[in-house]
Amino acid sequence: METTLNTPRLDPSWLGPLARVPRSGWGALTSELARTWLAMHESLRHGQRELERLGQRWQARQIDWMGFRREALPLLTAHLGHLHGHHRLEDQHYFPALRRADPNLARGFDLLAADHQQLDALLRSLDGLHRQLANANPAEAAAWQCAHDLVREAQALGPVMLRHLHDEEDLVIPLLALHDQRQAA
Ligand SMILES: [Fe+2]
Ligand SMILES: [Fe+2]
C-alpha cells in the first residue's frame, strides 16, 4: 500500500485514551498542560501559515526581494526558534515522562521521536537558508535563488509538521486529560 501524508499512522491499539477523551470534548479540557500544549501547537500552525502566505506572495511577485527578506527574517527567527525549543522540551522532558505513564504507547512515542528527526532535517535546511538570506547580496543571482529555495523548503515543512502535530495531539492530549481527571477524583 502506498504511504502518503494522509495515511493514518496511529495503531488502533494506541487510541484507547482518545476514545475516552475525543477531540469533540477538547474545548472543555480542565488540564492546564493539555490546554497549553494545544495553544502551543496552534501558534506553530499560525507561524507556518504566515511563512507560507509570504511564500505565496513572493511566488505571485506581489513582493520584491528586499520586502521578502524584511518580512522573512523575523518570521523565520520566530518560527524556527519556536519549533526547535518545542521539540527539545518534548524530547528531553515530556515524552520520557509520558512513556513512563503509559508503556502501551511506547511505539507511538517512537513514531513521534522519529518525526522530530525528520522535522529537524527540514529545520536545519531552513536554518541554513535563513543565514544565507540574512547575508545575501541582492545584486547577485544567488540571493534570488535563496528566496526561491526558502519558499520551497518552507512549503515542504508544512504537511510534515501538520501531520506530526495532529498525531501527537491524538496521543498526548487524552493522556494529560485522563491524568488530570485522576488527580481531581
Ligand atoms: Fe512534537
Ligand atoms: Fe508538540
Side-chain angles (χ1 to χ4, degrees):
M1 189 180 75
E2 192 196 353
T3 303
T4 72
L5 283 171
N6 293 322
T7 306
R9 303 184 303 160
L10 301 187
D11 191 287
S13 69
W14 307 339
L15 298 179
L18 180 63
R20 293 171 62 195
V21 188
R23 279 186 176 262
S24 57
W26 289 8
L29 291 170
T30 54
S31 163
E32 181 85 33
L33 182 55
R35 287 208 312 270
T36 304
W37 203 297
L38 288 172
M40 173 69 77
H41 280 191
E42 265 326 296
S43 78
L44 291 171
R45 289 182 178 101
H46 175 76
Q48 182 65 26
R49 276 196 302 274
E50 296 274 288
L51 204 51
E52 290 183 12
R53 217 170 279 143
L54 177 62
Q56 285 158 5
R57 284 165 58 212
W58 168 254
Q59 287 174 327
R61 298 170 191 241
Q62 293 167 353
I63 189 167
D64 64 12
W65 189 89
M66 292 300 285
F68 175 81
R69 175 162 76 173
R70 189 167 54 245
E71 293 192 37
L73 291 179
L75 276 181
L76 283 162
T77 300
H79 191 48
L80 299 177
H82 202 174
L83 271 164
H84 280 304
H86 183 64
H87 289 173
R88 197 174 310 122
L89 189 62
E90 290 178 343
D91 286 334
Q92 294 179 359
H93 179 66
Y94 287 116
F95 286 179
L98 288 163
R99 274 176 190 270
R100 283 194 297 277
D102 192 339
N104 289 334
L105 297 183
R107 283 194 302 125
F109 284 103
D110 289 345
L111 182 140
L112 296 179
D115 280 355
H116 281 190
Q117 286 187 2
Q118 183 187 9
L119 286 163
D120 277 350
L122 290 164
L123 295 180
R124 271 199 301 279
S125 163
L126 279 164
D127 282 333
L129 289 164
H130 183 201
R131 272 193 302 277
Q132 261 185 50
L133 186 70
N135 298 315
N137 175 354
E140 293 174 3
W144 294 72
Q145 188 59 46
C146 176
H148 290 308
D149 291 347
L150 228 162
V151 168
R152 190 195 60 237
E153 291 291 293
Q155 285 168 344
L157 173 67
V160 179
M161 189 195 89
L162 294 180
R163 177 177 68 166
H164 172 73
L165 297 181
H166 191 277
D167 285 347
E168 184 180 293
E169 288 166 2
D170 279 350
L171 286 184
V172 166
I173 299 302
L175 287 188
L176 298 178
L178 291 171
H179 176 75
D180 190 61
Q181 287 170 16
R182 279 195 300 276
Q183 298 289 104

